[in-house]
């Protein structure tokens, strides 16, 4: 239930920016908040339908496309804006992160330090790639939207991503060093 209710607020926030169809919403989420928030089509469309029933969003009249298909374009209602504002003022619920890498390292003695080191190296490479991408996004957003009043708020989320990835890279370096020492100790014991 918490996942669905949070989805609705992501949708309301996006629709406050402009009316969109489901595909447009998913694309807007990927382009803007995708570095820290994801929504699947399987969750998005049922949420839109429920929100329409609750009158938080409404369908905008739309002309059929050349193929005859009518796209459902949603816009936020006054009630939807009020619901979003009320949610934005609520305290954030505590979050326990589910991190598969840390879970694998916790039980790493079962496979040994070399396998764990490979996991850390993969994670580090992915983080480096994501960090480079996020730095480009950060620069593009700051350059292209200098006068946008939402920029300062949105930039806070980008900075959190940048700082988090930089911290993860530092941790990967520490983990690499510790695991290399374990690998060296294991090899010395095996040679005896």
């Amino acid at each position: 239930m918490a996942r669905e209710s949070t989805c609705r607020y992501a949708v309301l926030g996006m629709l406050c920016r402009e009316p969109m169809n489901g595909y447009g919403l998913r694309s807007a989420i990927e382009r803007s908040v995708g570095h820290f928030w994801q929504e699947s089509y399987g969750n998005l469309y049922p949420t839109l339908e429920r929100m329409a029933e609750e009158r938080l969003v409404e369908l905008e009249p739309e002309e059929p496309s050349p193929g005859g298909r009518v796209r459902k374009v949603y816009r936020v209602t006054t009630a939807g804006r009020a619901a979003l504002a009320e949610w934005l003022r609520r305290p954030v619920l505590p979050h326990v992160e589910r991190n598969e890498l840390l879970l694998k390292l916790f039980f790493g003695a079962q496979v040994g330090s070399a396998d764990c080191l490979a996991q850390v190296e993969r994670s580090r490479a992915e983080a480096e790639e994501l960090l480079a991408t996020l730095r480009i996004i950060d620069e593009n957003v700051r350059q292209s939207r200098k006068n946008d009043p939402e920029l300062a708020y949105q930039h806070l989320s980008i900075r959190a991503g940048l700082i988090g990835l930089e911290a993860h890279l530092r941790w990967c370096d520490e983990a690499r060093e510790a695991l290399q020492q374990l690998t060296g100790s294991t090899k010395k014991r095996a040679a005896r």
Side-chain angles (χ1 to χ4, degrees):
M1 186 63 175
R3 176 77 172 122
E4 177 187 330
S5 66
T6 306
C7 174
R8 72 182 21 223
Y9 298 113
V11 168
L12 287 171
M14 288 297 158
L15 291 178
C16 280
R17 301 174 89 193
E18 67 179 288
M20 291 180 245
N21 64 7
Y23 178 80
L25 274 166
R26 180 82 169 28
S27 296
I29 288 170
E30 284 178 16
R31 286 190 319 271
S32 60
V33 298
H35 62 281
F36 63 88
W37 189 262
Q38 299 286 317
E39 286 300 339
S40 68
Y41 286 116
N43 197 31
L44 193 61
Y45 285 106
T47 299
L48 278 167
E49 294 299 322
R50 279 189 290 281
M51 290 170 55
E53 290 170 8
E54 296 169 23
R55 300 188 195 287
L56 299 175
V57 299
E58 61 188 9
L59 286 171
E60 199 171 77
E62 182 80 13
E63 294 293 320
S65 66
R69 185 173 175 181
V70 177
R71 293 184 320 155
K72 290 183 177 181
V73 175
Y74 296 87
R75 72 171 160 232
V76 68
T77 63
T78 302
R81 286 182 188 277
L84 176 63
E86 191 273 326
W87 176 76
L88 288 168
R89 291 181 179 107
R90 275 191 246 153
V92 174
L93 294 173
H95 173 73
V96 176
E97 185 166 340
R98 295 173 58 99
N99 186 315
E100 186 177 349
L101 174 62
L102 295 181
L103 187 61
K104 287 183 176 190
L105 290 178
F106 187 84
F107 296 114
Q110 302 302 312
V111 293
S113 57
D115 288 323
C116 292
L117 181 58
Q119 294 284 6
V120 169
E121 294 294 359
R122 276 191 292 277
S123 181
R124 189 179 201 301
E126 290 168 4
E128 283 178 330
E129 187 176 313
L130 186 54
L131 181 60
T133 300
L134 200 52
R135 283 180 174 150
I136 292 168
I137 291 169
D138 181 39
E139 185 61 29
N140 289 341
V141 166
R142 286 189 293 124
Q143 293 301 317
S144 67
R145 301 182 53 214
K146 287 180 183 177
N147 299 321
D148 187 337
E150 293 183 0
L151 178 61
Y153 300 100
Q154 294 168 359
H155 192 254
L156 291 172
S157 66
I158 294 171
R159 288 292 302 149
L162 290 168
I163 292 168
L165 286 166
E166 290 165 353
H168 180 72
L169 289 172
R170 285 193 303 276
W171 173 85
C172 283
D173 291 342
E174 288 181 22
R176 174 195 290 152
E177 186 175 318
L179 291 166
Q180 286 171 339
Q181 288 175 0
L182 284 173
T183 301
S185 298
T186 303
K187 287 180 182 176
K188 287 179 187 173
R189 279 196 303 267
R192 290 183 198 162

